[in-house]
């Protein structure tokens, strides 16, 4: 890592009327201005090119040993101009991440600190305490006072226990019902500026929900689940909290707390390339990451193990999974997942198949296994189970149904990330809260859910193209998402039916193909059946050739809930993915990002009848250059995708 820093004293401004101390910091490009005041309380505000988007907002924390709030005395303050690089062990948006920002640190009476970072694309702050011994966090005031009655694009939940899956609602902040909850990230459309509010470096501390303040119609405030006091197992997969403590967390007195993050973009498309959550994540904790291999996964559960044209009964049995292994081996798919059904959900050693035989079969074919399990069962059998999985050569675990982000559950995430890394296992969280940068420390935490994924099409019509062109700007900003694309049975709105054991997707075939470029997940699913893919060889060929990690990402345009267009590079190849909502759309893409020369584009476009028949598409090849203005025509719920290789 290269780092150049200039540390200097802050000019302290004292206003005669309030006797408040005022500090200012600006982004490296000068477009974002942060103002912090301390006196009767600590407040911050944010302006973009002179337009205030966050009005003065009070923040603070209260502990059983004191508080950083109210009448705060700041002993000193410093700024630092930081220019560094991060090279992720498992790249997502890019192989090299510029980490350039202005840091402002307030040193508060008692040895505590309040740190701010101002990037060209974000503002973040966090507290650090210096108490002796353990401490209880009683409350945190994390708030965002919007400077106008802006439009929110937010999730909805009624409880602090959640699977963190929800469609988005669009409403003014003043229409946000008091007492209602959203889980982060949350998007704020302020007209010529867009904000996304989330958090980073969540460690041994509860996650942040957002609600509208009852005291201010334009203020969003953080709501945090208190520590569980009494829990109860429900069925074979859930652990519910029956009673909570009157405090948030019990932790070390000397520590930092999560970053409160506001991503900022004047062009909404730029949110697609924003990786501020990764930048704010904890440093790499592993000395060896060479064993962590991203790739694609043949998945059984979404398609309900439906296989035709075979002489065995398909289902949760070894014949079916060996068939999946054979399919993966034929097409260069690195992994298969054994979802629910391979073992008793209450006991990972009560197995319904000969797991060692299947794992050995996979080794012979060059395909590794990933195993689904329930979190509470794995937690009870953790050391024994992970050691056995490593012995068998299992590649990873898909862990499900946590459905909480209080301190106790957040600690489980960290414990499991470290434990799986110790046994050289990949980790995929489902029933999971949004990413907060832990994958930077443990890159074996290769993906997670926390998204209203395509599984919902088995029982509803809510995971539709409008939602799918919203998540790249909101949920994906936080990190990889296991949306599970790849449906070969594609339907327009009037033809769609939610059929659990014969599922289909909403939107066109090309929208599904474009998801492999637009949606980020270093472990990317093939959700349909092997025979469905092999009946669509050119689509399978494209999916199998599409990388799951990227060396560069270029946003080509987009508007939340309307459309998204992005270009990504892997090595010397470029891929372009475009998706639209239910509106048909024509776009002209600027290809000036391409290096000079002629490029051959292998393109998949919605067919002329895709507005009626979702499976209709056309594959063409065409030459392109960096001077080309590429016209893309999209059907309702449509997509367009291309693989570009430089002509010889």
């Amino acid at each position: 890592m290269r780092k150049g820093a200039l540390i200097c004293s802050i000019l302290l401004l004292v206003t005669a009327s309030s006797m408040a101390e005022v500090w200012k910091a600006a982004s490296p490009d000068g477009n974002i201005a942060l103002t912090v005041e301390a006196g009767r309380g600590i407040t911050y505000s944010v302006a973009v090119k002179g337009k205030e988007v966050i009005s003065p907002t009070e923040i603070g924390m209260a502990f059983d040993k004191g508080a950083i709030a109210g009448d705060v005395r700041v002993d000193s303050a410093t700024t630092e101009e930081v220019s560094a690089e991060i090279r992720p062990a498992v790249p997502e948006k890019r192989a090299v991440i510029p980490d350039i920002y202005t840091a402002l640190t307030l040193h508060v009476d008692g040895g505590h600190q309040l740190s701010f970072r101002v990037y060209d694309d974000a503002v973040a702050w966090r507290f650090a305490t210096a108490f002796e011994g353990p401490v209880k966090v009683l409350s945190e005031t994390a708030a965002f006072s919007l400077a106008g009655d802006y439009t929110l694009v937010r999730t909805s939940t009624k409880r602090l226990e959640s699977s963190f899956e929800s469609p988005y609602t669009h409403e003014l902040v003043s229409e946000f019902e008091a007492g209602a909850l959203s889980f982060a990230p949350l998007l704020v459309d302020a007209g010529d500026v867009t904000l996304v509010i989330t958090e980073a470096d969540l460690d041994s501390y509860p996650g942040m929900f957002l609600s509208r303040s009852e005291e201010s119609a334009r203020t969003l405030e953080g709501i945090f689940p208190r520590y569980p006091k009494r829990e109860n197992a429900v069925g074979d997969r859930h652990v519910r909290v029956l009673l909570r403590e009157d405090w948030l967390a019990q932790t070390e007195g000397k520590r930092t707390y999560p970053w409160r993050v506001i991503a900022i973009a004047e062009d909404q498309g730029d949110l697609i390339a924003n990786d501020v959550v990764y930048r704010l994540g904890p440093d790499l904790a592993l000395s060896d990451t060479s064993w962590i291999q991203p790739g694609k996964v043949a998945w059984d559960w979404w398609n309900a193990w439906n296989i035709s044209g075979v002489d065995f009964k398909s289902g949760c049995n070894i014949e079916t999974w060996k068939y999946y292994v054979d399919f993966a081996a034929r097409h260069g798919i690195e992994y298969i997942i054994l979802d629910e059904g391979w073992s008793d959900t209450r006991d990972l050693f009560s197995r319904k198949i000969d797991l060692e035989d299947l794992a050995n079969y996979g080794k012979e074919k060059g395909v590794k296994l990933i195993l689904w399990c329930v979190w509470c069962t794995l937690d009870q059998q953790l050391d024994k189970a992970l050691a056995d999985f490593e012995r068998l050569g299992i590649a990873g675990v898909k862990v499900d149904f946590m459905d909480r982000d209080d301190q106790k559950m957040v600690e489980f995430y960290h414990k499991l990330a470290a434990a799986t890394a110790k046994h050289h296992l990949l980790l995929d969280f489902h029933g999971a809260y949004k990413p907060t940068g832990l994958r930077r420390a443990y890159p074996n935490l290769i993906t997670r859910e926390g998204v209203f994924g395509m599984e919902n099409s088995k029982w509803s019509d809510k995971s539709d193209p409008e939602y799918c062109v919203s998540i790249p700007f909101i949920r994906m900003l936080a990190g990889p998402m296991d949306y599970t694309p790849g449906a070969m049975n594609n339907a327009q709105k009037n033809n769609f039916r939610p059929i659990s054991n014969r599922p289909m997707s909403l939107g066109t075939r090309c929208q599904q193909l474009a998801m492999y470029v637009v949606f980020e997940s270093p472990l990317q699913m093939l959700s349909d059946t092997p025979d469905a893919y092999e009946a669509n060889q050119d689509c399978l060929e494209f999916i199998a050739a599409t990388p799951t990690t990227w060396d560069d990402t270029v946003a080509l345009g987009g508007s939340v809930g309307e459309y998204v267009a992005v270009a990504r590079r892997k090595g010397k190849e470029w891929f372009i993915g475009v998706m639209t909502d239910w509106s048909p759309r024509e776009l002209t893409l600027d290809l000036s990002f391409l290096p000079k020369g002629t490029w051959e584009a292998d393109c998949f476009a919605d067919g002329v009848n895709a507005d009626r028949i979702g499976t209709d598409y056309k594959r063409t090849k065409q030459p392109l250059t960096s001077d080309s203005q590429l016209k893309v025509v999209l059907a309702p719920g449509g997509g367009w995708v291309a693989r570009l290789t430089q002509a010889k």
Side-chain angles (χ1 to χ4, degrees), residues 55 107 386 406 524 585 603:
S55 299
H107 303 272
L386 296 187
D406 50 46
Q524 190 65 277
R585 203 176 297 274
C603 309

Side-chain angles (χ1 to χ4, degrees), residues 496-573:
F496 175 80
R497 301 291 183 273
I499 305 173
S500 181
N501 62 353
R502 296 291 290 172
M504 64 187 77
S505 71
L506 283 147
T508 71
R509 171 71 58 80
C510 286
Q511 178 155 121
Q512 288 289 308
L513 296 180
M515 289 177 181
Y516 286 91
V517 176
V518 175
F519 292 172
E520 294 166 5
S521 182
L523 191 69
Q524 190 65 277
M525 304 291 163
L526 280 75
S527 297
D528 221 322
T529 63
D531 50 320
Y533 289 118
E534 292 189 325
N536 293 275
Q537 281 288 340
D538 51 354
C539 296
L540 174 58
E541 177 187 317
F542 177 83
I543 293 170
T546 303
T548 62
T549 62
W550 304 99
D551 295 331
D552 199 7
T553 293
V554 178
L556 301 181
S559 178
V560 63
E562 295 182 3
Y563 76 97
V564 57
V566 63
R568 301 189 193 272
R569 179 180 62 83
K570 183 71 171 184
K572 295 182 179 180
E573 291 188 325

Side-chain angles (χ1 to χ4, degrees), residues 258-544:
W259 290 102
R260 307 298 166 216
V261 182
I262 308 170
I264 299 170
E266 293 182 83
D267 184 333
Q268 286 189 347
D270 291 340
L271 294 170
I272 302 164
N274 188 304
D275 49 20
V276 66
V277 171
Y278 192 97
R279 284 174 255 156
L280 293 167
D283 290 338
L284 181 65
L286 306 181
S287 58
D288 176 24
T289 60
S290 61
W291 57 272
I292 302 172
Q293 298 298 319
K296 286 178 282 291
V297 188
W299 184 35
D300 55 3
W301 181 87
W302 185 80
N303 59 69
W305 301 271
N306 287 319
I307 302 172
S308 62
V310 296
D311 57 2
F312 60 86
K313 191 74 171 177
S314 63
C316 296
N317 56 53
I318 199 162
E319 293 84 5
T320 297
W321 283 313
K322 284 185 176 180
Y323 182 86
Y324 271 81
V325 168
D326 291 341
F327 162 75
R330 283 195 299 273
H331 302 288
I333 307 302
E334 293 87 347
Y335 303 101
I336 72 164
I337 276 186
L338 279 63
D339 213 286
E340 183 174 7
W342 69 273
S343 76
D344 188 322
T345 53
R346 297 180 178 88
D347 182 2
L348 296 172
F349 293 91
S350 179
R351 297 165 183 172
K352 301 177 183 180
I353 61 166
D354 186 336
L355 186 60
E356 186 165 5
D357 176 47
L358 182 61
N360 288 335
Y361 186 78
K363 289 176 190 175
E364 294 172 4
K365 301 281 187 171
V367 177
K368 294 185 177 181
L369 312 183
I370 295 173
L371 304 177
W372 175 93
C373 59
V374 174
W375 80 272
C376 48
T377 300
L378 180 60
D379 194 31
Q380 292 168 358
Q381 302 180 319
L382 188 63
D383 293 336
K384 182 181 177 183
L386 296 187
D388 192 53
F389 295 163
E390 184 179 24
R391 177 187 68 83
L392 293 174
I394 301 300
V397 288
K398 174 182 175 181
V399 185
D400 208 347
F401 290 107
M402 290 76 68
D403 294 352
R404 290 165 28 203
D405 65 350
D406 50 46
Q407 182 191 15
K408 186 174 182 179
M409 187 57 74
V410 169
E411 289 175 339
F412 169 76
Y413 277 60
H414 283 247
K415 178 177 75 171
L416 190 57
T420 49
K422 177 183 175 182
H423 291 283
H424 288 186
L425 294 166
L426 301 179
L427 177 56
D428 176 6
F429 280 126
H430 272 231
Y433 61 81
K434 79 281 179 188
T436 61
L438 181 59
R439 66 196 185 283
R440 180 176 170 186
Y442 294 97
N444 63 303
L445 203 181
I446 202 159
T447 193
R448 73 170 75 189
E449 197 179 31
V451 65
F452 196 71
M454 197 172 70
E455 67 174 10
N456 289 275
S457 66
K458 289 167 70 76
W459 52 78
S460 83
D461 61 358
K462 302 300 183 185
S463 186
D464 67 356
E466 182 178 341
Y467 176 76
C468 290
V469 295
S470 298
I471 49 179
F473 304 90
I474 309 174
R475 164 59 181 83
M476 199 170 76
L477 182 140
M481 53 188 194
D482 195 10
Y483 178 84
T484 66
M488 294 290 104
N489 186 8
N490 321 107
Q492 285 292 345
K493 187 186 301 187
N494 59 332
N495 295 321
F496 175 80
R497 301 291 183 273
I499 305 173
S500 181
N501 62 353
R502 296 291 290 172
M504 64 187 77
S505 71
L506 283 147
T508 71
R509 171 71 58 80
C510 286
Q511 178 155 121
Q512 288 289 308
L513 296 180
M515 289 177 181
Y516 286 91
V517 176
V518 175
F519 292 172
E520 294 166 5
S521 182
L523 191 69
Q524 190 65 277
M525 304 291 163
L526 280 75
S527 297
D528 221 322
T529 63
D531 50 320
Y533 289 118
E534 292 189 325
N536 293 275
Q537 281 288 340
D538 51 354
C539 296
L540 174 58
E541 177 187 317
F542 177 83
I543 293 170

Side-chain angles (χ1 to χ4, degrees), residues 13-32:
L13 305 176
V14 181
T15 62
S17 59
S18 64
M19 298 302 292
E21 301 171 319
V22 180
W23 298 267
K24 295 181 181 291
S27 59
D29 65 7
N31 290 334
I32 300 174

